[in-house]
Amino acid sequence: MHEYGLVALVGILFIENMGLVFAPGESMVVAAGFLAGRGVLPVWPSATAAIIATTLGSYLAWWLGDRYGHPLVIRYGRYIGITAPRWEKAHQFFNRFGPVVVAGGRFIVPLRQLQGYVAGSAEMRFRSFALWSSLGAIMWVICWGGIAFWLADQMPIGH
């Protein structure tokens, strides 16, 4: 983070939110908040970049899920335990609770990374997904980055 700054932040958050489960997105937001609190990174550009990268990564995942998800689940789902009745039940659940899952799912690994695919596959309308995904991204970045920003001043660091 110290060497690559916003480029690292944007890159990691984008690929994590487009579905790379093991990308350290939360760690990057915490590190960026801490470094912003110490004056190493600019606060508002860091927060804005994190929110935009997080949101755009999930938009790409939604598009991929919308475009390819349903046919892939129907064709290959049985190999990982997704039967037609299970898929229908998941689809109904997502149609009923999609906004809460999308916004709140930002705080749950691996739901944060997979929610775009699931929402697209479950045929959640993009407008609704975009709204709730953006709101969730804002809350997630402000929460984790804000806590780290606040704690940066509270922690003594030896040299």
Side-chain angles (χ1 to χ4, degrees), residues 85-109:
R86 283 184 181 164
W87 175 248
E88 184 56 36
K89 192 173 182 180
H91 192 111
Q92 289 173 356
F93 176 84
F94 207 85
N95 283 334
R96 185 170 180 193
F97 299 108
V100 173
V101 172
V102 170
R106 290 270 178 212
F107 293 88
I108 302 168
V109 175

Side-chain angles (χ1 to χ4, degrees), residues 37-49:
R38 288 290 181 173
V40 176
L41 289 177
V43 177
W44 294 113
S46 297
T48 303

Side-chain angles (χ1 to χ4, degrees), residues 6-142:
L6 294 180
V7 173
L9 180 67
V10 167
I12 294 294
L13 290 177
F14 182 82
I15 64 170
E16 183 204 37
N17 284 276
M18 96 172 205
L20 186 61
V21 177
F22 299 109
E26 229 155 40
S27 299
M28 293 298 284
V29 171
V30 169
F34 184 82
L35 291 173
R38 288 290 181 173
V40 176
L41 289 177
V43 177
W44 294 113
S46 297
T48 303
I51 291 166
I52 291 170
T54 299
T55 303
L56 292 179
S58 68
Y59 288 1
L60 178 59
W62 179 91
W63 180 80
L64 291 169
D66 182 59
R67 176 90 182 214
Y68 304 108
H70 192 87
L72 287 174
V73 168
I74 298 302
R75 186 169 183 179
Y76 299 110
R78 66 180 179 269
Y79 298 116
I80 57 171
I82 301 174
T83 61
R86 283 184 181 164
W87 175 248
E88 184 56 36
K89 192 173 182 180
H91 192 111
Q92 289 173 356
F93 176 84
F94 207 85
N95 283 334
R96 185 170 180 193
F97 299 108
V100 173
V101 172
V102 170
R106 290 270 178 212
F107 293 88
I108 302 168
V109 175
L111 188 52
R112 176 175 56 253
Q113 295 87 349
L114 301 176
Q115 68 181 346
Y117 295 112
V118 175
S121 297
E123 300 169 348
M124 183 177 192
R125 296 178 144 224
F126 180 73
R127 184 176 289 174
S128 178
F129 176 78
L131 171 67
W132 293 105
S133 180
S134 299
L135 290 174
I138 292 166
M139 291 185 307
W140 182 70
V141 168
I142 289 173

